[in-house]
Amino acid sequence: MCRAQARLYVRTKGCMPNNWPLVPLGELLTSVSRPETVDPEKTYCILGAHWYAGGLYIKQVTPGAGIQAKSLSLVEEGDFVYNRLFAWKGSFALATKENDGCYVSNEFPCFKVNRERLDGAFLWRYLSRTSTWEEALSLSTGGTPTSRNRLKEHKFLAFRIPLPPLDEQRRIVARIEALAAKIEEARRLRHRSGAERQAIFNSFLRKAFERESKKPGWELKPLGTAACIARGKFAFRPRNDARFYGGNYPFIQIGDISNSDRRIQRYSQSLNEEGLAISRMFPKGTVVIAITGATIGVTGILTFDSCFPDSIVGMVANDHESIPEFIYWALEYVKKEALADATQTTQPNINLKNLERLRIPIPPLPEQRRIVVYLDGLQARVDALKKLQAETAAELDALLPSILDKAFKGDL
């Protein structure tokens, strides 16, 4: 057979360039159903499937009396499972020992794997690629776009996958797992180094204040004497009334503080004249702190005049007592005390009066400027390291997809 004929043979027989045949899943998987009528007296471990090939997890443990469905399906170790609704999000999974004996709803088809021809982990890794999820989306149907799309079983079983010999499948899986483990270890180390980086900076912050505050001229004063403190304002309810928004007046939210690096340079909303009339404008240089919500205590400095809601408190430095940047760093130093009381309640909230009474070390203005220069420089180095680690994280995220791509081209 000449080379041209061989290439034609490969194409017409549906083979990969490496001569792995393309086989429909219907030849490799058998639909399996183990329905059980829900018993109101029995407790059920019900599984869900993480998106993006994250595997199965226990979604809830609940008595049968609280389950609306009339029946559930039993899952056994080794079953291949997917969520019809979110196949396009990569919700394919191989049931593990921990999943054995748990249950799924009727939105989760289960299949037995023909182990004489297919390694279940090989299939799962093959279906862990974004190109597969895109194909699943194109084959899904439903009443509304994407969110209610379902990948029906007959279309799933029509998927064609490259099928090398079983020993080669296992070799590929072992290689993928080994590399994936190294990637995960690198992620853990990166996360740990991030925590250590912040801990080191906090140590320098404490030392800066504790060492310097022993010098002459330093005084412990209530925060309320170093700055004018006031809550933000937006009196109207509901807050999302469109007639107050879309003007020329910045209106920052807690998320704008969280997404800033100390200095708030962007805002997500703005008020018009009507909105400004029921709010309050704070000047550039105001130190702001979130006093409620999931990110309670997050702090920043305005780089522009802005309004904000009453979930944020603004602190305007008294010129003869302090500068904004020093107020920011002093607050970072002592705010653990402010948060200690706030987080002991059901609805965490920093009390304005407690914030005003919070005592901070205040040195003369020249000393404040010197400390700000020192801490800003230290923070700049930390930020540079953080940026480098973020770039490393992006590289790590790209590694596994690249590995999977190579694996199923026969290059691993």
Side-chain angles (χ1 to χ4, degrees), residues 3 25 35 37 87 126 261 266 332 346 359:
R3 290 184 180 179
L25 288 179
T37 301
Y126 182 80
D261 290 323
R266 289 178 292 275
E332 288 294 294
T346 306
R359 295 171 70 81

Side-chain angles (χ1 to χ4, degrees), residues 77-79 112-119 166 170:
E77 181 182 1
D79 285 353
K112 278 290 185 186
V113 178
N114 181 346
R115 296 182 181 178
E116 293 182 359
R117 299 185 65 191
L118 176 65
D119 184 288
L166 201 54
R170 290 169 179 154

Side-chain angles (χ1 to χ4, degrees), residues 21-272:
L22 289 171
V23 180
L25 288 179
E27 292 185 15
L28 305 169
L29 301 177
T30 303
S31 180
V32 61
S33 179
R34 308 179 192 92
E36 289 188 18
T37 301
V38 173
D39 181 352
E41 303 299 321
K42 182 176 177 178
T43 298
Y44 294 86
C45 287
I46 301 177
L47 298 173
H50 286 297
W51 292 355
Y52 312 122
L56 296 173
Y57 68 99
I58 296 178
K59 187 176 181 180
Q60 58 179 324
V61 178
T62 184
I67 299 173
Q68 293 183 350
K70 293 182 180 179
S71 67
L72 295 170
S73 292
L74 182 68
V75 173
E76 293 183 356
E77 181 182 1
D79 285 353
F80 198 85
V81 185
Y82 79 94
N83 183 345
R84 288 193 195 97
L85 278 168
F86 294 107
W88 61 281
K89 287 281 192 179
S91 61
F92 299 102
L94 186 67
T96 65
K97 184 177 181 180
E98 289 74 22
N99 307 139
D100 190 82
C102 296
Y103 295 82
V104 290
S105 75
N106 62 5
E107 288 291 357
F108 290 76
C110 297
F111 304 88
K112 278 290 185 186
V113 178
N114 181 346
R115 296 182 181 178
E116 293 182 359
R117 299 185 65 191
L118 176 65
D119 184 288
F122 180 86
L123 174 60
W124 174 60
R125 284 300 188 183
Y126 182 80
L127 296 178
S128 298
R129 301 169 310 131
T130 54
S131 58
T132 303
W133 308 338
E134 290 165 359
E135 184 179 356
L137 178 59
S138 70
L139 296 173
S140 297
T141 56
T144 58
T146 62
S147 62
R148 302 304 295 177
N149 272 346
R150 285 177 169 83
L151 179 65
K152 301 294 180 64
E153 287 95 312
H154 71 279
K155 291 189 175 180
F156 171 66
L157 292 173
F159 271 36
R160 296 164 71 85
I161 69 166
L163 194 71
L166 201 54
D167 286 347
E168 177 66 3
Q169 293 178 42
R170 290 169 179 154
R171 185 196 70 79
I172 290 170
V173 168
R175 182 66 175 147
I176 292 172
E177 297 298 341
L179 293 171
K182 290 180 179 178
I183 292 170
E184 189 56 35
E185 178 61 18
R187 283 200 181 104
R188 281 195 295 270
L189 290 172
R190 187 191 61 80
H191 184 269
R192 189 171 70 190
S193 67
E196 290 172 349
R197 177 197 68 224
Q198 190 58 49
I200 290 170
F201 178 81
N202 291 340
S203 173
F204 276 102
L205 176 66
R206 287 193 304 272
K207 287 179 180 177
F209 277 93
E210 290 167 5
R211 181 180 63 243
E212 300 293 335
S213 61
K214 297 175 181 177
K215 293 181 178 180
W218 285 69
E219 294 183 63
L220 270 178
K221 294 183 179 180
L223 181 58
T225 67
C228 179
I229 302 175
R231 292 182 73 161
K233 181 182 178 184
F234 193 76
F236 193 85
R237 297 293 187 274
R239 289 181 176 175
N240 60 353
D241 193 319
R243 63 186 163 127
F244 298 112
Y245 296 95
N248 298 319
Y249 304 104
F251 187 60
I252 67 160
Q253 308 295 307
I254 292 176
D256 297 315
I257 307 175
S258 301
N259 295 329
S260 69
D261 290 323
R262 290 172 294 151
R263 293 178 175 83
I264 303 164
Q265 301 185 51
R266 289 178 292 275
Y267 52 92
S268 53
Q269 286 184 307
S270 62
L271 300 177
N272 55 27

